[in-house]
Amino acid sequence: MARLELDEAELRSRRSFFELGDDDLARLASLRPLAERLSGAVVDALYQLLLGHSGSQAFLRDATVVARLKALQQAYFLGLFSGVCDSRLRRGAAAGRAHPRADRAIAQVVH
């Protein structure tokens, strides 16, 4: 699978599209302590929702995999509050490439 490369021009374009300025990044970074306190509960609630559906249950049967995914999700969530846009987008792009594979697997179980 090809790696998505986001150069500085693409990052500027994406930030402009979402109207995400330096002041917004600073506000997000200032909320990091709150995000750290809540991240475990946020991720647990997400996985409780996911595991409440039979399609997701079938895909997320392995407790070790679920634990690893929850750790990755928590790191991603906290990364949103880093105050840095480039590394978050690159990590998010990598995670986003895995979602179509998961969607196909879940679609096969649901249908």
Side-chain angles (χ1 to χ4, degrees):
M1 182 172 296
R3 180 182 165 98
L4 178 62
E5 294 294 332
L6 301 175
D7 61 17
E8 292 304 315
E10 180 63 21
L11 289 169
R12 279 193 304 277
S13 174
R14 289 175 184 225
R15 283 185 61 182
S16 175
F17 179 84
F18 288 106
E19 299 178 356
L20 185 61
D22 291 339
D23 54 335
D24 300 307
L25 294 175
R27 275 193 293 279
L28 285 168
S30 75
L31 294 170
R32 174 75 184 225
L34 176 64
E36 288 174 349
R37 286 194 305 274
L38 297 176
S39 64
V42 168
V43 172
D44 285 343
L46 172 64
Y47 275 82
Q48 183 176 4
L49 174 70
L50 291 174
L51 293 169
H53 298 280
S54 60
S56 300
Q57 289 171 358
F59 187 70
L60 299 170
R61 284 182 276 219
D62 185 332
T64 303
V65 170
V66 171
R68 188 186 61 193
L69 291 172
K70 286 174 81 172
L72 289 169
Q73 184 65 48
Q74 189 167 2
Y76 171 77
F77 177 77
L78 290 173
L80 296 172
F81 297 90
S82 69
V84 178
C85 189
D86 60 349
S87 64
R88 191 213 66 76
L89 281 174
R90 288 184 178 115
R91 282 193 314 273
R97 287 192 306 273
H99 288 167
R101 294 191 312 268
D103 290 343
R104 283 191 301 272
I106 290 171
Q108 290 172 353
V109 170
V110 173
H111 292 106

